[in-house]
Amino acid sequence: MSKALKKAYCADKEWLGRVDCGNCHIRHLMLFSGLPDNAFENTLAPVDHFIFQPNAMLYEASATDPYIYSIRRGLVKLLHMAPDGSQRIVRIMGPGATVGLAMLDGGDGYRHSAVAVSAADVCRIPLTTVKALQSEYPQLCQQVRERLQEHLDRADEWIIALGTGPARGRVIHLLLMMSNFSTDPNDDIELLKREDMAAIVGTTVETVSRIIADLKRRQLLRKVTETNLYRCDAEALRAIAGEEAG
Amino acid sequence: MSKALKKAYCADKEWLGRVDCGNCHIRHLMLFSGLPDNAFENTLAPVDHFIFQPNAMLYEASATDPYIYSIRRGLVKLLHMAPDGSQRIVRIMGPGATVGLAMLDGGDGYRHSAVAVSAADVCRIPLTTVKALQSEYPQLCQQVRERLQEHLDRADEWIIALGTGPARGRVIHLLLMMSNFSTDPNDDIELLKREDMAAIVGTTVETVSRIIADLKRRQLLRKVTETNLYRCDAEALRAIAGEEAG
DNA sequence: CGAGGGGTTGACGCCGATCAAAGCTGGTGG
DNA sequence: CCACCAGCTTTGATCGGCGTCAACCCCTCG
């Protein structure tokens, strides 16, 4: 819970250029799926493409930049900073997700701060563009709603699996969630930093460290190469998490 | 966390009749605000009006009834049942909120079970009606999005305030949240049952009971009449919750 | 080489889970 | 009217998990 304020989030991002959504080869996975190719011919404000380095901030809570962000690759954490500087990670979103949607309701600004976990490949979409497209193509409404529902489902999962029960089970649930993000056929995952894990499951760094170290010792988590990629024995982990839930 | 399965949720609801949304005097507070009075003249499926008694179930997780529900009065809890029968309350929604919106995305059914906490005055709206109105009145899209965002904001608050820190602070946050539901000018609230509170803050009944009893002894929570209405010293409670966050 | 950040480990104490039992309240039937 | 019961709340005793403080290891970088 308690952790001193520390990171000075730098705007450590790289601009890759203006984007032509009509020709985006992964558009069918993104917010603008379902729109015709020519829908973007008259958009007034440009969609820009960035790569955010790890720990770079996409936006800050309560800011009112007129953008939403569509994640192409990488992970983005949404976090809440307590007045005392401790932080709680409220969600982690991956490829295909859209963050900052609260801006569509106007007014109050972003609900959280958004920070890249791994290097994140992201499209920055101006609000005006979304609104214009939305009025012309009502099916975009549906897309937006589904993205919001995705956030909601994930938040609920967070509450149920990561906010309940003994710490070990929560950490294991987190590992399993991370392995779901992986496009990798095996269950290889890149372990988060202990501090992030602690801010996710709501415990301390030490507790997380002990649990992870223990899982490693029991070979339920094995370093797979020289990178910090780990393979987790999903079956065994699920079994442990399940028996602890009781 | 652990609590045996028990309640056989009965369909203890009372049908009050078919509703004419065009003449609903609180429509400006509800999902259909922003639609013209005559929008409802040709709706095919009827909107029905119910009063659900405490503990009556509006719908069950993963069911696929083609309805969403708009809450006029009272509180509704959304809960997740673990396989072992223990339950976790994921959200509490009050007047003006809409529940069951996940059905709009088709397919997977309700995400949670919805159960009336206090007696709940509720309109049951057929999906077909929503969809028909939505295609004719795009502004309804906006309304739906705002309701979803409301769910999301509440879920995030849940994670941050009720899923983090020592139990005492979490319970106090819950009390303060409940006092926000109250339309009452003072901070009078109807205390939830201990079991519900426990399922909300993720502790045991005993722990909640001890905390509440202690707050009563310290006069931060006072029975206000003969009913189980309590007045809470919001300032003092906020102070305690604040100091514990650090 | 030292400094610093992240991870791991140990010792200790407290919060809260667990088990158990005793009030309290409202409802039901004699 | 009282006895009785079921459900809810409160309280106590005990014990384990996890927070806290502190040290140490490992690696990278200046």
Side-chain angles (χ1 to χ4, degrees):
Chain A
M1 233 48 39
S2 54
K3 187 64 198 38
L5 171 62
K6 180 192 40 183
K7 308 182 182 172
Y9 294 114
C10 51
D12 188 3
K13 63 186 175 187
E14 183 183 353
W15 184 69
L16 294 190
R18 188 160 297 186
V19 164
D20 174 15
C21 297
N23 289 319
C24 175
H25 67 288
I26 58 169
R27 180 154 58 87
H28 63 287
L29 300 170
M30 310 298 280
L31 179 64
F32 288 155
S33 79
L35 301 192
D37 289 355
N38 64 3
F40 310 95
E41 287 170 0
N42 302 322
T43 52
L44 346 91
V47 172
D48 284 315
H49 183 194
F50 295 93
I51 288 187
F52 287 83
Q53 293 308 310
N55 278 338
M57 184 156 60
L58 281 68
Y59 54 78
E60 186 165 18
S62 80
T64 56
D65 324 328
Y67 302 108
I68 66 176
Y69 295 83
S70 190
I71 306 173
R72 299 165 56 92
R73 202 174 45 80
L75 299 179
V76 172
K77 58 182 174 185
L78 305 184
L79 51 87
H80 170 87
M81 298 270 313
D84 70 344
S86 68
Q87 63 184 45
R88 171 94 199 206
I89 297 177
V90 157
R91 238 180 325 289
I92 289 195
M93 303 302 284
T98 309
V99 297
L101 283 171
M103 293 307 284
L104 282 174
D105 290 336
D108 309 332
Y110 297 112
R111 299 294 200 273
H112 326 271
S113 299
V115 173
V117 178
S118 46
D121 186 345
V122 165
C123 284
R124 190 186 68 181
I125 309 170
L127 270 185
T128 55
T129 301
V130 182
K131 287 180 177 169
L133 286 170
Q134 206 167 38
S135 66
E136 192 164 359
Y137 303 95
Q139 62 267 44
L140 182 52
C141 258
Q142 167 100 3
Q143 280 294 326
V144 169
R145 207 183 55 231
E146 287 179 10
R147 308 289 150 154
L148 271 178
Q149 185 67 49
E150 185 191 355
H151 274 262
L152 195 52
D153 290 344
R154 217 173 279 281
D156 290 339
E157 190 184 356
W158 217 260
I159 294 172
I160 294 165
L162 303 181
T164 282
R168 167 181 300 268
R170 304 211 300 278
V171 171
I172 290 177
H173 273 292
L174 172 59
L175 294 177
L176 293 173
M177 281 182 52
M178 297 305 291
S179 84
N180 284 344
F181 274 124
S182 154
T183 54
D184 199 303
N186 353 45
D187 296 307
D188 290 0
I189 56 178
E190 187 160 351
L191 286 189
L192 298 175
K193 294 198 185 304
R194 304 295 173 269
E195 188 181 347
D196 279 344
M197 295 201 211
I200 289 171
V201 301
T203 63
T204 58
V205 177
E206 295 92 325
T207 299
V208 172
S209 175
R210 275 185 247 269
I211 292 169
I212 295 289
D214 179 58
L215 293 178
K216 284 184 195 165
R217 271 188 292 265
R218 291 158 65 181
Q219 295 281 312
L220 301 177
L221 209 53
R222 289 188 301 283
K223 191 183 270 263
V224 75
T225 73
E226 279 319 303
T227 71
N228 74 335
L229 221 62
Y230 283 79
R231 175 155 313 168
C232 55
D233 183 342
E235 274 320 305
L237 291 180
R238 249 184 290 274
I240 298 177
E243 90 195 15
E244 283 196 351
Chain B
M1 226 51 41
S2 53
K3 187 64 199 35
L5 170 63
K6 179 193 38 187
K7 308 180 183 172
Y9 293 112
C10 50
D12 189 3
K13 63 186 176 188
E14 182 183 355
W15 183 69
L16 294 190
R18 191 160 292 189
V19 162
D20 174 15
C21 297
N23 289 321
C24 174
H25 67 288
I26 58 169
R27 180 154 58 88
H28 63 287
L29 299 170
M30 309 298 279
L31 179 64
F32 288 155
S33 79
L35 302 192
D37 290 356
N38 65 3
F40 309 95
E41 286 169 0
N42 302 323
T43 53
L44 347 90
V47 172
D48 284 315
H49 183 194
F50 295 93
I51 289 188
F52 286 83
Q53 294 308 311
N55 277 338
M57 185 157 58
L58 281 69
Y59 54 77
E60 185 164 18
S62 80
T64 55
D65 323 329
Y67 301 108
I68 65 175
Y69 295 84
S70 191
I71 306 174
R72 299 164 58 91
R73 201 173 45 80
L75 299 179
V76 171
K77 59 182 175 185
L78 305 183
L79 50 86
H80 171 89
M81 298 270 313
D84 69 344
S86 67
Q87 62 185 47
R88 171 96 198 204
I89 295 178
V90 157
R91 243 184 316 292
I92 289 196
M93 303 302 284
T98 309
V99 298
L101 283 171
M103 292 307 284
L104 282 173
D105 289 337
D108 308 332
Y110 296 113
R111 298 294 200 273
H112 326 272
S113 299
V115 173
V117 178
S118 47
D121 186 346
V122 165
C123 285
R124 190 186 68 179
I125 309 171
L127 270 185
T128 54
T129 302
V130 181
K131 286 180 175 168
L133 287 170
Q134 207 167 40
S135 67
E136 192 165 359
Y137 302 96
Q139 62 267 42
L140 182 53
C141 256
Q142 168 100 3
Q143 280 294 326
V144 169
R145 207 183 55 233
E146 287 179 10
R147 308 287 150 156
L148 270 179
Q149 185 67 50
E150 184 191 356
H151 274 262
L152 195 52
D153 290 344
R154 217 172 278 281
D156 290 339
E157 190 185 358
W158 217 262
I159 293 172
I160 294 165
L162 304 180
T164 282
R168 165 182 301 268
R170 304 211 302 276
V171 171
I172 290 178
H173 272 293
L174 172 60
L175 294 177
L176 293 172
M177 281 183 51
M178 297 305 292
S179 83
N180 284 344
F181 274 123
S182 154
T183 55
D184 199 303
N186 352 44
D187 295 308
D188 290 0
I189 56 178
E190 187 161 351
L191 286 189
L192 298 175
K193 296 202 183 300
R194 304 294 172 269
E195 188 181 346
D196 279 344
M197 295 202 211
I200 289 171
V201 301
T203 61
T204 59
V205 177
E206 295 93 325
T207 299
V208 172
S209 175
R210 276 183 245 271
I211 293 169
I212 296 288
D214 178 59
L215 292 178
K216 284 183 194 165
R217 273 187 291 266
R218 291 158 66 181
Q219 294 281 310
L220 301 176
L221 209 52
R222 289 189 300 285
K223 191 182 267 267
V224 76
T225 73
E226 279 320 301
T227 71
N228 73 336
L229 221 62
Y230 283 79
R231 176 156 309 169
C232 56
D233 183 342
E235 275 318 307
L237 290 180
R238 248 184 291 273
I240 298 176
E243 92 194 13
E244 283 196 354

PDB file of all heavy atoms in Angstrom, chain A residues 14-37:
ATOM      1  N   GLU A  14       8.307   8.382 -28.996  1.00  0.00           N
ATOM      2  CA  GLU A  14       8.885   8.589 -30.313  1.00  0.00           C
ATOM      3  C   GLU A  14       7.764   8.726 -31.323  1.00  0.00           C
ATOM      4  O   GLU A  14       6.899   7.863 -31.423  1.00  0.00           O
ATOM      5  CB  GLU A  14       9.774   7.387 -30.655  1.00  0.00           C
ATOM      6  CG  GLU A  14      10.492   7.517 -31.978  1.00  0.00           C
ATOM      7  CD  GLU A  14      11.292   6.259 -32.289  1.00  0.00           C
ATOM      8  OE1 GLU A  14      11.360   5.383 -31.404  1.00  0.00           O
ATOM      9  OE2 GLU A  14      11.817   6.152 -33.395  1.00  0.00           O
ATOM     10  N   TRP A  15       7.780   9.808 -32.079  1.00  0.00           N
ATOM     11  CA  TRP A  15       6.722  10.039 -33.063  1.00  0.00           C
ATOM     12  C   TRP A  15       7.073   9.307 -34.337  1.00  0.00           C
ATOM     13  O   TRP A  15       8.156   9.473 -34.887  1.00  0.00           O
ATOM     14  CB  TRP A  15       6.578  11.541 -33.324  1.00  0.00           C
ATOM     15  CG  TRP A  15       5.467  11.878 -34.252  1.00  0.00           C
ATOM     16  CD1 TRP A  15       4.139  11.763 -34.013  1.00  0.00           C
ATOM     17  CD2 TRP A  15       5.593  12.428 -35.571  1.00  0.00           C
ATOM     18  NE1 TRP A  15       3.412  12.186 -35.087  1.00  0.00           N
ATOM     19  CE2 TRP A  15       4.277  12.603 -36.068  1.00  0.00           C
ATOM     20  CE3 TRP A  15       6.678  12.782 -36.382  1.00  0.00           C
ATOM     21  CZ2 TRP A  15       4.031  13.126 -37.326  1.00  0.00           C
ATOM     22  CZ3 TRP A  15       6.415  13.302 -37.632  1.00  0.00           C
ATOM     23  CH2 TRP A  15       5.104  13.468 -38.094  1.00  0.00           C
ATOM     24  N   LEU A  16       6.194   8.490 -34.802  1.00  0.00           N
ATOM     25  CA  LEU A  16       6.494   7.709 -35.995  1.00  0.00           C
ATOM     26  C   LEU A  16       5.823   8.260 -37.242  1.00  0.00           C
ATOM     27  O   LEU A  16       6.031   7.739 -38.330  1.00  0.00           O
ATOM     28  CB  LEU A  16       6.056   6.254 -35.812  1.00  0.00           C
ATOM     29  CG  LEU A  16       6.821   5.467 -34.757  1.00  0.00           C
ATOM     30  CD1 LEU A  16       6.461   4.010 -34.839  1.00  0.00           C
ATOM     31  CD2 LEU A  16       8.324   5.659 -34.942  1.00  0.00           C
ATOM     32  N   GLY A  17       5.000   9.288 -37.062  1.00  0.00           N
ATOM     33  CA  GLY A  17       4.385   9.878 -38.246  1.00  0.00           C
ATOM     34  C   GLY A  17       2.883   9.855 -38.227  1.00  0.00           C
ATOM     35  O   GLY A  17       2.256   9.336 -37.310  1.00  0.00           O
ATOM     36  N   ARG A  18       2.337  10.447 -39.214  1.00  0.00           N
ATOM     37  CA  ARG A  18       0.893  10.532 -39.392  1.00  0.00           C
ATOM     38  C   ARG A  18       0.407   9.217 -39.987  1.00  0.00           C
ATOM     39  O   ARG A  18       1.134   8.543 -40.710  1.00  0.00           O
ATOM     40  CB  ARG A  18       0.590  11.700 -40.334  1.00  0.00           C
ATOM     41  CG  ARG A  18      -0.836  12.037 -40.486  1.00  0.00           C
ATOM     42  CD  ARG A  18      -0.970  13.455 -41.022  1.00  0.00           C
ATOM     43  NE  ARG A  18      -0.437  14.447 -40.093  1.00  0.00           N
ATOM     44  CZ  ARG A  18      -0.561  15.771 -40.298  1.00  0.00           C
ATOM     45  NH1 ARG A  18      -1.136  16.217 -41.388  1.00  0.00           N
ATOM     46  NH2 ARG A  18      -0.077  16.612 -39.424  1.00  0.00           N
ATOM     47  N   VAL A  19      -0.827   8.880 -39.674  1.00  0.00           N
ATOM     48  CA  VAL A  19      -1.317   7.558 -40.022  1.00  0.00           C
ATOM     49  C   VAL A  19      -2.434   7.637 -41.050  1.00  0.00           C
ATOM     50  O   VAL A  19      -3.243   8.548 -41.023  1.00  0.00           O
ATOM     51  CB  VAL A  19      -1.820   6.850 -38.753  1.00  0.00           C
ATOM     52  CG1 VAL A  19      -2.685   5.667 -39.102  1.00  0.00           C
ATOM     53  CG2 VAL A  19      -0.650   6.413 -37.911  1.00  0.00           C
ATOM     54  N   ASP A  20      -2.459   6.663 -41.932  1.00  0.00           N
ATOM     55  CA  ASP A  20      -3.583   6.536 -42.859  1.00  0.00           C
ATOM     56  C   ASP A  20      -4.419   5.335 -42.452  1.00  0.00           C
ATOM     57  O   ASP A  20      -4.123   4.197 -42.818  1.00  0.00           O
ATOM     58  CB  ASP A  20      -3.064   6.366 -44.289  1.00  0.00           C
ATOM     59  CG  ASP A  20      -4.204   6.075 -45.256  1.00  0.00           C
ATOM     60  OD1 ASP A  20      -5.378   6.287 -44.869  1.00  0.00           O
ATOM     61  OD2 ASP A  20      -3.908   5.635 -46.382  1.00  0.00           O
ATOM     62  N   CYS A  21      -5.467   5.608 -41.670  1.00  0.00           N
ATOM     63  CA  CYS A  21      -6.258   4.510 -41.112  1.00  0.00           C
ATOM     64  C   CYS A  21      -6.878   3.637 -42.194  1.00  0.00           C
ATOM     65  O   CYS A  21      -7.097   2.447 -41.997  1.00  0.00           O
ATOM     66  CB  CYS A  21      -7.368   5.060 -40.218  1.00  0.00           C
ATOM     67  SG  CYS A  21      -6.733   5.960 -38.797  1.00  0.00           S
ATOM     68  N   GLY A  22      -7.179   4.262 -43.337  1.00  0.00           N
ATOM     69  CA  GLY A  22      -7.803   3.489 -44.411  1.00  0.00           C
ATOM     70  C   GLY A  22      -6.953   2.321 -44.858  1.00  0.00           C
ATOM     71  O   GLY A  22      -7.462   1.299 -45.309  1.00  0.00           O
ATOM     72  N   ASN A  23      -5.632   2.473 -44.701  1.00  0.00           N
ATOM     73  CA  ASN A  23      -4.742   1.409 -45.141  1.00  0.00           C
ATOM     74  C   ASN A  23      -4.090   0.643 -43.996  1.00  0.00           C
ATOM     75  O   ASN A  23      -3.142  -0.110 -44.212  1.00  0.00           O
ATOM     76  CB  ASN A  23      -3.642   1.989 -46.033  1.00  0.00           C
ATOM     77  CG  ASN A  23      -4.201   2.422 -47.372  1.00  0.00           C
ATOM     78  OD1 ASN A  23      -5.039   1.731 -47.946  1.00  0.00           O
ATOM     79  ND2 ASN A  23      -3.760   3.573 -47.860  1.00  0.00           N
ATOM     80  N   CYS A  24      -4.568   0.871 -42.788  1.00  0.00           N
ATOM     81  CA  CYS A  24      -3.979   0.169 -41.648  1.00  0.00           C
ATOM     82  C   CYS A  24      -4.276  -1.324 -41.773  1.00  0.00           C
ATOM     83  O   CYS A  24      -5.429  -1.724 -41.881  1.00  0.00           O
ATOM     84  CB  CYS A  24      -4.563   0.713 -40.344  1.00  0.00           C
ATOM     85  SG  CYS A  24      -4.017  -0.183 -38.886  1.00  0.00           S
ATOM     86  N   HIS A  25      -3.225  -2.132 -41.731  1.00  0.00           N
ATOM     87  CA  HIS A  25      -3.453  -3.554 -41.974  1.00  0.00           C
ATOM     88  C   HIS A  25      -3.988  -4.282 -40.746  1.00  0.00           C
ATOM     89  O   HIS A  25      -4.325  -5.455 -40.824  1.00  0.00           O
ATOM     90  CB  HIS A  25      -2.174  -4.217 -42.470  1.00  0.00           C
ATOM     91  CG  HIS A  25      -1.091  -4.251 -41.436  1.00  0.00           C
ATOM     92  ND1 HIS A  25      -0.402  -3.132 -41.051  1.00  0.00           N
ATOM     93  CD2 HIS A  25      -0.597  -5.265 -40.698  1.00  0.00           C
ATOM     94  CE1 HIS A  25       0.488  -3.453 -40.129  1.00  0.00           C
ATOM     95  NE2 HIS A  25       0.390  -4.738 -39.888  1.00  0.00           N
ATOM     96  N   ILE A  26      -4.010  -3.610 -39.604  1.00  0.00           N
ATOM     97  CA  ILE A  26      -4.623  -4.278 -38.447  1.00  0.00           C
ATOM     98  C   ILE A  26      -5.876  -3.533 -37.993  1.00  0.00           C
ATOM     99  O   ILE A  26      -6.322  -3.681 -36.863  1.00  0.00           O
ATOM    100  CB  ILE A  26      -3.644  -4.400 -37.262  1.00  0.00           C
ATOM    101  CG1 ILE A  26      -3.155  -3.012 -36.836  1.00  0.00           C
ATOM    102  CG2 ILE A  26      -2.496  -5.306 -37.579  1.00  0.00           C
ATOM    103  CD1 ILE A  26      -2.410  -3.046 -35.509  1.00  0.00           C
ATOM    104  N   ARG A  27      -6.451  -2.765 -38.925  1.00  0.00           N
ATOM    105  CA  ARG A  27      -7.617  -1.986 -38.515  1.00  0.00           C
ATOM    106  C   ARG A  27      -8.767  -2.879 -38.058  1.00  0.00           C
ATOM    107  O   ARG A  27      -9.540  -2.504 -37.171  1.00  0.00           O
ATOM    108  CB  ARG A  27      -8.082  -1.067 -39.647  1.00  0.00           C
ATOM    109  CG  ARG A  27      -9.305  -0.226 -39.287  1.00  0.00           C
ATOM    110  CD  ARG A  27      -9.364   1.039 -40.089  1.00  0.00           C
ATOM    111  NE  ARG A  27      -9.394   0.760 -41.509  1.00  0.00           N
ATOM    112  CZ  ARG A  27     -10.505   0.520 -42.202  1.00  0.00           C
ATOM    113  NH1 ARG A  27     -11.661   0.562 -41.592  1.00  0.00           N
ATOM    114  NH2 ARG A  27     -10.456   0.271 -43.480  1.00  0.00           N
ATOM    115  N   HIS A  28      -8.865  -4.041 -38.641  1.00  0.00           N
ATOM    116  CA  HIS A  28      -9.971  -4.919 -38.269  1.00  0.00           C
ATOM    117  C   HIS A  28      -9.919  -5.314 -36.801  1.00  0.00           C
ATOM    118  O   HIS A  28     -10.892  -5.794 -36.237  1.00  0.00           O
ATOM    119  CB  HIS A  28      -9.963  -6.175 -39.143  1.00  0.00           C
ATOM    120  CG  HIS A  28      -8.737  -7.017 -38.960  1.00  0.00           C
ATOM    121  ND1 HIS A  28      -7.489  -6.648 -39.445  1.00  0.00           N
ATOM    122  CD2 HIS A  28      -8.553  -8.192 -38.320  1.00  0.00           C
ATOM    123  CE1 HIS A  28      -6.604  -7.579 -39.112  1.00  0.00           C
ATOM    124  NE2 HIS A  28      -7.222  -8.517 -38.436  1.00  0.00           N
ATOM    125  N   LEU A  29      -8.754  -5.106 -36.170  1.00  0.00           N
ATOM    126  CA  LEU A  29      -8.630  -5.416 -34.750  1.00  0.00           C
ATOM    127  C   LEU A  29      -8.887  -4.197 -33.880  1.00  0.00           C
ATOM    128  O   LEU A  29      -9.002  -4.316 -32.666  1.00  0.00           O
ATOM    129  CB  LEU A  29      -7.214  -5.933 -34.451  1.00  0.00           C
ATOM    130  CG  LEU A  29      -6.783  -7.204 -35.177  1.00  0.00           C
ATOM    131  CD1 LEU A  29      -5.304  -7.447 -34.972  1.00  0.00           C
ATOM    132  CD2 LEU A  29      -7.612  -8.375 -34.682  1.00  0.00           C
ATOM    133  N   MET A  30      -8.947  -3.027 -34.498  1.00  0.00           N
ATOM    134  CA  MET A  30      -8.900  -1.793 -33.735  1.00  0.00           C
ATOM    135  C   MET A  30     -10.267  -1.104 -33.665  1.00  0.00           C
ATOM    136  O   MET A  30     -11.256  -1.591 -34.206  1.00  0.00           O
ATOM    137  CB  MET A  30      -7.865  -0.851 -34.340  1.00  0.00           C
ATOM    138  CG  MET A  30      -6.498  -1.500 -34.584  1.00  0.00           C
ATOM    139  SD  MET A  30      -5.687  -2.077 -33.079  1.00  0.00           S
ATOM    140  CE  MET A  30      -5.036  -0.518 -32.494  1.00  0.00           C
ATOM    141  N   LEU A  31     -10.248   0.044 -33.021  1.00  0.00           N
ATOM    142  CA  LEU A  31     -11.481   0.794 -32.802  1.00  0.00           C
ATOM    143  C   LEU A  31     -12.232   1.065 -34.099  1.00  0.00           C
ATOM    144  O   LEU A  31     -13.456   1.045 -34.145  1.00  0.00           O
ATOM    145  CB  LEU A  31     -11.140   2.126 -32.126  1.00  0.00           C
ATOM    146  CG  LEU A  31     -12.306   3.066 -31.846  1.00  0.00           C
ATOM    147  CD1 LEU A  31     -13.269   2.443 -30.852  1.00  0.00           C
ATOM    148  CD2 LEU A  31     -11.794   4.391 -31.326  1.00  0.00           C
ATOM    149  N   PHE A  32     -11.504   1.305 -35.171  1.00  0.00           N
ATOM    150  CA  PHE A  32     -12.145   1.715 -36.415  1.00  0.00           C
ATOM    151  C   PHE A  32     -12.510   0.540 -37.306  1.00  0.00           C
ATOM    152  O   PHE A  32     -12.790   0.727 -38.497  1.00  0.00           O
ATOM    153  CB  PHE A  32     -11.244   2.691 -37.181  1.00  0.00           C
ATOM    154  CG  PHE A  32     -11.159   4.039 -36.539  1.00  0.00           C
ATOM    155  CD1 PHE A  32     -10.057   4.860 -36.756  1.00  0.00           C
ATOM    156  CD2 PHE A  32     -12.179   4.507 -35.727  1.00  0.00           C
ATOM    157  CE1 PHE A  32      -9.988   6.110 -36.173  1.00  0.00           C
ATOM    158  CE2 PHE A  32     -12.106   5.763 -35.134  1.00  0.00           C
ATOM    159  CZ  PHE A  32     -11.000   6.562 -35.352  1.00  0.00           C
ATOM    160  N   SER A  33     -12.488  -0.656 -36.752  1.00  0.00           N
ATOM    161  CA  SER A  33     -12.943  -1.774 -37.568  1.00  0.00           C
ATOM    162  C   SER A  33     -14.407  -1.555 -37.895  1.00  0.00           C
ATOM    163  O   SER A  33     -15.155  -0.976 -37.110  1.00  0.00           O
ATOM    164  CB  SER A  33     -12.765  -3.082 -36.806  1.00  0.00           C
ATOM    165  OG  SER A  33     -13.799  -3.247 -35.872  1.00  0.00           O
ATOM    166  N   GLY A  34     -14.814  -1.991 -39.052  1.00  0.00           N
ATOM    167  CA  GLY A  34     -16.212  -1.832 -39.439  1.00  0.00           C
ATOM    168  C   GLY A  34     -16.480  -0.580 -40.243  1.00  0.00           C
ATOM    169  O   GLY A  34     -17.557  -0.425 -40.810  1.00  0.00           O
ATOM    170  N   LEU A  35     -15.522   0.312 -40.268  1.00  0.00           N
ATOM    171  CA  LEU A  35     -15.715   1.510 -41.093  1.00  0.00           C
ATOM    172  C   LEU A  35     -15.159   1.243 -42.488  1.00  0.00           C
ATOM    173  O   LEU A  35     -14.199   0.497 -42.651  1.00  0.00           O
ATOM    174  CB  LEU A  35     -14.994   2.715 -40.477  1.00  0.00           C
ATOM    175  CG  LEU A  35     -15.410   3.103 -39.055  1.00  0.00           C
ATOM    176  CD1 LEU A  35     -14.843   4.473 -38.703  1.00  0.00           C
ATOM    177  CD2 LEU A  35     -16.917   3.108 -38.918  1.00  0.00           C
ATOM    178  N   PRO A  36     -15.749   1.853 -43.508  1.00  0.00           N
ATOM    179  CA  PRO A  36     -15.242   1.669 -44.869  1.00  0.00           C
ATOM    180  C   PRO A  36     -13.871   2.319 -45.042  1.00  0.00           C
ATOM    181  O   PRO A  36     -13.515   3.250 -44.311  1.00  0.00           O
ATOM    182  CB  PRO A  36     -16.295   2.357 -45.734  1.00  0.00           C
ATOM    183  CG  PRO A  36     -16.966   3.331 -44.820  1.00  0.00           C
ATOM    184  CD  PRO A  36     -16.955   2.709 -43.467  1.00  0.00           C
ATOM    185  N   ASP A  37     -13.113   1.824 -45.998  1.00  0.00           N
ATOM    186  CA  ASP A  37     -11.759   2.325 -46.208  1.00  0.00           C
ATOM    187  C   ASP A  37     -11.723   3.826 -46.469  1.00  0.00           C
ATOM    188  O   ASP A  37     -10.772   4.513 -46.095  1.00  0.00           O
ATOM    189  CB  ASP A  37     -11.113   1.597 -47.400  1.00  0.00           C
ATOM    190  CG  ASP A  37     -10.791   0.150 -47.066  1.00  0.00           C
ATOM    191  OD1 ASP A  37     -10.981  -0.232 -45.895  1.00  0.00           O
ATOM    192  OD2 ASP A  37     -10.341  -0.570 -47.970  1.00  0.00           O
TER     193      ASP A  37
END
